[in-house]
Amino acid sequence: MQEGQFSWTQYFTDTSQILPCIISVFLIAYGSMRSLAFDTSNAEEKDNLDKVQVINSSQAIYLPIGSSISLLCMFFFSSFFQIIIVFITAGVSVVAFNFVLAPFWKSCIYGICRRRNFTDIKYRCCCNNSCAEAWSFMFSILMVLLWLLTGHWLVIDVIGMVLCTAVITYVRLPNLQVSTYLLCGLVVYDVFWVYFSEKIFKSNVMVHVAMNAAKNPINVAVEKVNIPNSASTFLQYLPHHIQLPGKLIFPSFRHKGYYAVLGLGDIVIPGLLTSFALKFDNFKFKQENPVNKSSLLTINYFRCCLVGYVFGLFLATLFAAVLDKPQPALLFLVPSTLVPLWLLAYRKNDLTHMWTGSFDEAKIKRDIINVV
């Protein structure tokens, strides 16, 4: 936006500011519910529960250090690591798409089978889990190819959303203590690399790595191979560089060329805390009401984290506009979600249990089964 034409109303009602809030809140809420549903449905199946990754105290403490090392490697040796990361991202995206979309395809195929009155044999052949996973796999391959062939921001956003959902679903914070270690450590990591790295490395390391485009592996392969002229005419339209789906890009439809960027970590990290809060809400409700089902009125900690996330995102957006420079979003998102969660837990006398207690419903059921 040009100087002298800045309007707070236009700024906060622009699509580049509204969409990050709506989409990130949706991803956090949906991922948290998928995580709870996964634990509940697989509570007695140890093999499925072993697929999840539970972060312990050591991992929570060392994760910011490992992230800093990875960031420096990407900063100094970007040309070497970028191609590797593109292939890793493509593989992980296929797996994430398959996980997120398999239930959707299963519902669609099941509905088609019901409407066409398939026999049991046809149903087993066409409407089973393998068929749904096959459709999800083909769609995931298509999306990854679209990313490599077009590099369009919308495809990058879709892949980023799927990755966020998969991580929030499969990664667990066991208690508030580990959550505090992880989130506070990542705040220090985010603040240092955004605010202070430029004084040491003469460049903002975080922004440089986040916005640095990677070489398109298709173009790299084409340069090494002799191809017919007809194919080379098509390949010249391929993007030579593509953005990695480590962020969500939100262009402004009001101001051409302006866009907002939200890192996936700014969604996933508060999302893991929100998922933890939802599981505690579910556990506490079932302890007090073993027969009834929980409702929106009973998920107090979950709502607390979501409201805190919206407020923190608003503060990050406000400071970015006032200072006219990128801000470490976790500096605003972590206090706005973690501190209210502490205060609410203290007020409800749940802080001690939430801090170190083991309340995961799936783990409790599994331990009971092992004892029996």
Side-chain angles (χ1 to χ4, degrees):
M1 288 182 240
Q2 295 180 355
E3 216 175 304
Q5 298 179 340
F6 186 87
S7 167
W8 286 109
T9 303
Q10 289 186 0
Y11 181 76
F12 281 107
T13 57
D14 190 73
T15 52
S16 61
Q17 308 304 326
I18 295 176
L19 287 178
C21 182
I22 295 174
I23 293 178
S24 59
V25 169
F26 169 77
L27 292 175
I28 290 174
Y30 177 69
S32 300
M33 293 176 183
R34 281 289 299 268
S35 179
L36 178 62
F38 182 86
D39 284 355
T40 304
S41 60
N42 296 285
E44 298 180 4
E45 299 179 19
K46 185 176 184 302
D47 292 338
N48 287 336
L49 289 174
D50 288 340
K51 295 178 182 178
V52 304
Q53 174 63 48
V54 180
I55 298 177
N56 57 39
S57 299
S58 300
Q59 292 170 335
I61 294 172
Y62 289 117
L63 185 60
I65 299 174
S67 300
S68 298
I69 295 173
S70 301
L71 197 67
L72 282 176
C73 290
M74 285 291 297
F75 180 72
F76 286 111
F77 312 106
S78 58
S79 58
F80 173 76
F81 282 103
Q82 280 178 342
I83 295 294
I84 298 175
I85 291 178
V86 167
F87 282 107
I88 293 175
T89 302
V92 173
S93 300
V94 169
V95 176
F97 265 109
N98 189 53
F99 163 74
V100 173
L101 295 179
F104 168 76
W105 286 114
K106 186 177 179 181
S107 299
C108 291
I109 295 171
Y110 177 75
I112 294 172
C113 293
R114 287 286 299 273
R115 283 196 296 270
R116 296 192 177 185
N117 296 320
F118 278 7
T119 62
D120 290 343
I121 296 177
K122 287 184 178 179
Y123 176 80
R124 284 195 294 268
C125 293
C126 302
C127 306
N128 53 23
N129 290 335
S130 299
C131 184
E133 291 175 357
W135 279 102
S136 300
F137 178 77
M138 288 188 289
F139 185 82
S140 63
I141 293 293
L142 175 63
M143 291 302 298
V144 171
L145 287 177
L146 281 176
W147 169 46
L148 296 176
L149 294 175
T150 66
H152 197 274
W153 65 268
L154 187 58
V155 181
I156 296 173
D157 281 2
V158 171
I159 294 176
M161 293 175 198
V162 169
L163 291 174
C164 286
T165 303
V167 173
I168 294 173
T169 302
Y170 273 118
V171 178
R172 304 284 188 275
L173 292 173
N175 50 53
L176 193 56
Q177 183 183 34
V178 174
S179 303
T180 302
Y181 291 162
L182 177 66
L183 271 66
C184 291
L186 289 175
V187 167
V188 175
Y189 158 84
D190 209 19
V191 168
F192 174 79
W193 291 112
V194 173
Y195 282 158
F196 303 107
S197 62
E198 192 170 357
K199 298 179 180 179
I200 301 174
F201 301 98
K202 298 182 179 180
S203 177
N204 192 315
V205 176
M206 183 74 80
V207 175
H208 175 83
V209 172
M211 303 307 299
N212 192 23
K215 289 184 178 180
N216 193 330
I218 296 179
N219 279 317
V220 173
V222 167
E223 292 174 358
K224 307 294 183 181
V225 179
N226 291 323
I227 57 174
N229 292 332
S230 57
S232 62
T233 304
F234 167 74
L235 291 173
Q236 70 180 352
Y237 294 103
L238 295 179
H240 293 281
H241 292 81
I242 54 175
Q243 290 287 341
L244 296 173
K247 55 191 173 294
L248 300 185
I249 303 170
F250 303 95
S252 170
F253 293 104
R254 181 179 290 157
H255 305 280
K256 189 176 181 180
Y258 177 81
Y259 56 89
V261 175
L262 185 64
L264 298 191
D266 301 328
I267 301 174
V268 169
I269 301 305
L272 293 178
L273 181 67
T274 307
S275 177
F276 161 81
L278 180 61
K279 290 183 178 66
F280 189 85
D281 277 327
N282 181 70
F283 168 80
K284 185 178 178 182
F285 180 82
K286 289 196 172 183
Q287 293 292 308
E288 298 173 353
N289 306 275
V291 178
N292 299 327
K293 292 184 178 180
S294 59
S295 65
L296 290 176
L297 298 176
T298 63
I299 49 178
N300 299 304
Y301 294 110
F302 176 73
R303 286 185 299 171
C304 175
C305 288
L306 278 185
V307 173
Y309 181 85
V310 173
F311 179 69
L313 195 59
F314 169 77
L315 287 180
T317 304
L318 179 65
F319 272 76
V322 171
L323 300 178
D324 194 24
K325 61 189 300 186
Q327 298 297 309
L330 290 181
L331 176 62
F332 307 94
L333 295 173
V334 169
S336 66
T337 53
L338 190 59
V339 173
L341 187 63
W342 283 343
L343 296 177
L344 184 60
Y346 177 78
R347 182 170 175 267
K348 290 180 171 291
N349 297 320
D350 290 329
L351 185 58
T352 302
H353 190 195
M354 189 182 284
W355 184 255
T356 57
S358 176
F359 60 86
D360 186 82
E361 177 187 6
K363 182 180 183 301
I364 292 173
K365 287 187 178 180
R366 190 174 60 191
D367 291 342
I368 293 173
I369 293 171
N370 291 336
V371 171
V372 174

